[in-house]
Amino acid sequence: MKPNFELKGKIALVTGATHGLGMAMAKALAHQGATLVINGHTPAKMEAAIEAYASEEILAHPYLFDVSDAKAVDAAISKIEAEVGEIDILVNNAGMIQRVPALEMDPEDFRKVVDIDLVSPFIVSQRVAKTMVKNGQGKIINICSMMSELGRNTVSAYAAAKGGLKMLTRNLATEWAKYNIQVNGIGPGYFATEQTAPIRVDGHPFNEFIVNRTPAGRWGDPDDLGGTVVFLASKASDFVNGQIIYVDGGILATIGKPAGE
Ligand code: GCO
């Protein structure tokens, strides 16, 4: 039997899809045939995004809403269902990071990161899953991180949230498997995006550190995620559930190597 990676006839919602990894994954799903719904929260960014998608012949259906606001999410998903159709594939990608030493972090800022990176995927998944349960099928993909597994100076809230998102993935997979919903995660390694721009600049010690720490010897290109997101969104992964696939150029496989080796 030929594995089935087809997404034609499927509707995919990608949160935080106005730029970065979210946009790259959304494009991959659309190029594989899915009807694309994108979420963002900044009107100007949304407008630019629609054009970026259009330049690749992708019609993106834009919905501006705050993924951390349960009421707004409920209203937006109902609107999407009425205007575009019921969601088959949900990619919980919207996220944020704050790089502040733990000793100096304001607990309110910590809470905000957990709210966006962990509570929001729960809120959106819960709402979308209600329809998926009714339909007897669905794919949910949570965008985790290296920080789902590893710690790093200054990212305590982000690591706590992304570690939590890994366990939320396993728990929702457990609870919703009986409805034929698969909940998996993707853990991107270090990618060249806007979020990592401040630590990627030439001459920044972190830039060199990451290249040396990554067996592949480079930063990830957002397009490197396309194959994995398509796989997890398609029938090809129907018996894959509760897994986090790390797309990291080998980082988690290794202890690393001394500088210069
Ligand atoms: C950092 C980075 C990371 C990445 C990514 C790694 O400061 O260490 O920004 O957190 O964004 O999530 O997987």
Side-chain angles (χ1 to χ4, degrees):
M1 204 196 84
K2 220 172 129 208
N4 185 353
F5 295 96
E6 187 56 62
L7 298 180
K8 221 169 264 146
K10 300 288 180 191
I11 297 177
L13 166 64
V14 182
T15 66
T18 56
H19 60 284
L21 301 186
M23 179 180 271
M25 289 185 287
K27 283 180 177 174
L29 296 173
H31 284 313
Q32 196 65 16
T35 297
L36 183 62
V37 181
I38 55 169
N39 150 269
H41 66 274
T42 318
K45 274 194 174 181
M46 187 57 104
E47 265 171 44
I50 293 166
E51 277 182 34
Y53 285 105
S55 75
E56 291 192 27
E57 243 103 279
I58 298 168
L59 170 69
H61 300 272
Y63 287 83
L64 286 167
F65 58 93
D66 175 357
V67 289
S68 68
D69 176 343
K71 278 210 179 81
V73 168
D74 185 37
I77 303 298
S78 297
K79 203 158 182 263
I80 293 166
E81 290 180 344
E83 294 173 353
V84 187
E86 292 178 343
I87 294 158
D88 303 286
I89 300 155
L90 166 65
V91 181
N92 283 310
N93 166 78
M96 66 173 291
I97 192 164
Q98 291 220 10
R99 300 185 183 96
V100 183
L103 283 173
E104 290 155 29
M105 184 138 198
D106 180 334
E108 279 315 309
D109 289 340
F110 190 100
R111 211 188 296 278
K112 171 100 185 122
V113 173
V114 172
D115 212 34
I116 298 294
D117 291 353
L118 177 57
V119 183
S120 300
F122 173 76
I123 290 173
V124 183
S125 298
Q126 186 191 48
R127 174 59 185 83
V128 170
K130 285 186 177 150
T131 304
M132 290 176 167
V133 167
K134 175 178 74 76
N135 292 339
Q137 54 110 19
K139 299 278 185 182
I140 297 176
I141 301 161
N142 291 325
I143 305 310
C144 299
S145 164
M146 291 292 89
M147 271 69 231
S148 297
E149 299 291 336
L150 303 169
R152 185 173 99 68
N153 289 346
T154 74
V155 295
S156 58
Y158 185 79
K162 292 294 190 177
L165 187 56
K166 171 182 71 179
M167 285 312 302
L168 177 66
T169 302
R170 291 177 179 166
N171 209 90
L172 296 182
T174 305
E175 286 198 33
W176 296 345
K178 63 173 182 275
Y179 305 116
N180 188 30
I181 297 171
Q182 289 81 49
V183 188
N184 290 290
I186 296 178
Y190 278 85
F191 276 72
T193 63
E194 220 175 273
Q195 179 174 278
T196 56
I199 54 178
R200 212 167 6 93
V201 282
D202 238 9
H204 194 297
F206 201 79
N207 188 24
E208 218 175 294
F209 165 70
I210 284 303
V211 173
N212 190 50
R213 177 73 180 76
T214 307
R218 64 171 174 89
W219 288 78
D221 177 314
D223 289 340
D224 286 326
L225 292 174
T228 309
V229 77
V230 164
F231 167 62
L232 291 177
S234 71
K235 274 197 86 51
S237 62
D238 274 0
F239 204 52
V240 179
N241 208 0
Q243 298 297 314
I244 313 297
I245 301 183
Y246 290 97
V247 182
D248 67 352
I251 293 178
L252 291 179
T254 183
I255 191 170
K257 57 183 165 75
E261 195 181 282

